[in-house]
Amino acid sequence: MSWYCYAVAEFAAENPAEGISGLRGSPVSAISGTGLTALASPVPDEEFAETALRENLESLPWLEEIARAHHAVVAEASRRTGVLPLRMATIYQDEQRVREMLAEHSASFAEALRRVRGHAEWGVKVFASLGGPPAPETPAEAPADGRSYLRQRLRQRQTREARATEAAEVAERIEKELAQLSADVHRHRTQDPALTGRADRNILNLACLVPDTGRDRFLARLADLRRSDVAGIEVEVTGPWAPYSFAGTS
């Protein structure tokens, strides 16, 4: 039997994992050592040992199930105490190896927990509609018509470029404003329409580490930004989340 680790928290007298169910409904345990606690649950070796895990990671349904369970544990634990989410499918052979992991990284874990204590992560995505009207498909029959067609295409391209430039400037302004209201920000890679399910383009994908005491101010400013009168710009906000984007200990 191996142990699946969801997150790391500071050691506390009260068990932050009490009553939480993890993968396959197994109870989540608090494995403590070096002033820290790992939230973990037992998982079967035939599914989570190295070779089996490598194969299972290629299965999208399996990944979705694991991701949902992982997030559910982290989300519930983060409502009780400050946590550092670990990577999905972080597996150790036994409880002793989990304690050794805590000891090996105790200094970096402690520093990361100090950094995120009293904060939550908020996601901010900016979308822009950059497309112009479609070009006419009627072929030119005379040189003058051909020149008109090319001029029209040029104007369309210039309009798209102007919209893209304006959208980039708006995204930069939004990032700067939110950075002033956040303890830290992390810019993620923008998402493809296949992931967003939207026709407009994702031009900014930001994670903001926001102090709990500054939450109302942050959300009020976001509300203003969402009412922006810049044509074709939409701001989407999600959260609060456990600090996934700020849990790095390197």
Side-chain angles (χ1 to χ4, degrees), residues 49-239:
E50 185 176 355
T51 301
L53 180 62
R54 191 181 305 115
E55 294 176 356
N56 284 327
L57 288 173
E58 300 296 325
S59 168
L60 290 180
W62 188 90
L63 275 174
E64 181 178 1
E65 179 190 2
I66 300 305
R68 288 181 182 276
H70 184 104
H71 174 70
V73 171
V74 172
E76 178 57 33
S78 69
R79 284 190 278 268
R80 305 178 181 188
T81 187
V83 299
L84 292 177
L86 295 175
R87 288 178 186 243
M88 193 177 71
T90 297
I91 310 294
Y92 292 97
Q93 292 180 345
D94 51 40
E95 290 189 48
Q96 180 56 33
R97 185 65 191 98
V98 175
R99 292 190 177 90
E100 290 173 359
M101 176 271 293
L102 293 175
E104 290 169 7
H105 302 286
S106 60
S108 55
F109 280 147
E111 171 58 24
L113 282 164
R114 182 201 62 76
R115 189 171 64 247
V116 303
R117 188 184 302 126
H119 294 69
E121 177 172 331
W122 292 83
V124 178
K125 294 178 183 177
V126 178
F127 295 89
S129 178
L130 305 178
E137 297 182 358
T138 304
E141 297 180 357
D145 291 337
R147 286 194 294 271
S148 297
Y149 173 79
L150 291 175
R151 282 196 296 270
Q152 186 177 43
R153 291 298 299 270
L154 176 61
R155 285 195 298 271
Q156 290 172 349
R157 187 176 74 245
Q158 290 172 336
T159 298
R160 287 194 297 269
E161 290 174 350
R163 288 178 178 174
T165 298
E166 181 183 28
E169 291 172 351
V170 171
E172 183 178 359
R173 176 171 58 82
I174 289 173
E175 182 172 2
K176 287 181 178 179
E177 289 194 28
L178 296 183
Q180 294 175 358
L181 300 174
S182 306
D184 198 2
V185 295
H186 179 80
R187 182 186 286 193
H188 291 291
R189 182 179 302 176
T190 54
Q191 294 183 328
D192 187 88
L195 290 176
T196 65
R198 301 174 56 130
D200 47 3
R201 185 187 303 175
N202 178 210
I203 60 172
L204 182 66
N205 185 7
L206 202 64
C208 300
L209 185 66
V210 181
D212 295 340
T213 54
R215 168 178 173 165
D216 291 344
R217 185 182 176 199
F218 178 83
L219 293 179
R221 185 64 191 120
L222 270 174
D224 291 340
L225 293 170
R226 296 180 75 179
R227 291 191 293 266
S228 171
D229 58 1
V230 178
I233 297 294
E234 184 176 339
V235 180
E236 177 184 282
V237 57
T238 59

